[in-house]
Amino acid sequence: MRPDRATLVYCNRVRELWKDIPMIIGGVEASLRRMAHYDFWSDSVRRSILVDSRSDILVFGMGELAVADVAAALADGRAAGDIREIPGTCWKTHNCDNAKDAVVLPSYENVKADKRLFAQAFKRFYLEQNHVRGSRLIQDQGPWHIVHNRPSRPLTEKEMDVIYGLPYTRMWHPDYEKSGGVPALEEVRFSITSHRGCFGECAFCAISSHQGRIIQRRSDESMIAEAKMYKKMSGFKGIYTM
């Protein structure tokens, strides 16, 4: 039911139907494709998904803080294209003077043509993923320049407890009922998230690029409360995963 590169497909359809509506993208797909990046499916370097999706703002990382700040700015009547200061977001501009403080990364065209330059650009991008000392970044993507703000700060234990204490349904969307549901959900339906982030920097893993390198944890009380809730749910067989 979901197309390949779902964010690109859905966002471009939204643009066709609703034209200038404010559009903010996020999640794993957007986070890992926020700057010029290697795409396995096409075996090529692609532009930032913010350009190709025709969105206004990209929220990277887990996003709770940035989403709330973006929503507050929109509620205050600000245009999506003018929201440029929020940590944990990327935005686009035609004028580099709008980000004079940014570190300039090699352009999309250059990293696409030179693997060594691509690696150098990624290293610089990676080293700036720090909410305290990280610099703003900018990269020429052809029709736009993409500006990458420093990451959001890590969540506190109390904030983590609030987020994981929300009343999630823990079920697939009703549209999937006619096709028998989502089998993969059964693997994680009774899973308890204890923490976020990883300092390991393993080359094969993208967790640090999405969740950050700083460990953020939940309280024991929060995790115990979730475990007790699972005991009351239909289908629970006494097995938890972490």
Side-chain angles (χ1 to χ4, degrees), residues 21-41:
I21 188 173
M23 187 154 58
I24 293 87
I25 58 174
V28 174
E29 184 179 12
S31 287
L32 301 185
R33 298 178 182 271
R34 57 190 187 262
M35 306 298 276
H37 60 278
Y38 173 74
D39 178 71
F40 178 81
W41 286 339

Side-chain angles (χ1 to χ4, degrees), residues 12 15 19-20 23 34-36 46-58 80-84 90-99 104-111 137-148:
N12 278 283
R15 274 286 176 254
K19 309 302 180 187
D20 296 328
M23 187 154 58
R34 57 190 187 262
M35 306 298 276
R46 293 178 62 97
R47 295 184 301 189
S48 166
I49 196 172
L50 185 56
V51 175
D52 291 337
S53 68
R54 296 192 287 171
S55 301
D56 298 300
I57 300 171
L58 184 155
D82 294 334
I83 302 172
R84 298 172 172 174
C90 297
W91 47 279
K92 55 190 183 182
T93 181
H94 291 301
N95 186 358
C96 293
D97 289 341
N98 289 326
V104 179
L105 296 178
S107 70
Y108 160 70
E109 291 295 341
N110 286 337
V111 300
L137 304 169
I138 188 169
Q139 186 175 49
D140 181 357
Q141 302 269 336
W144 294 91
H145 284 79
I146 298 300
V147 182
H148 180 293

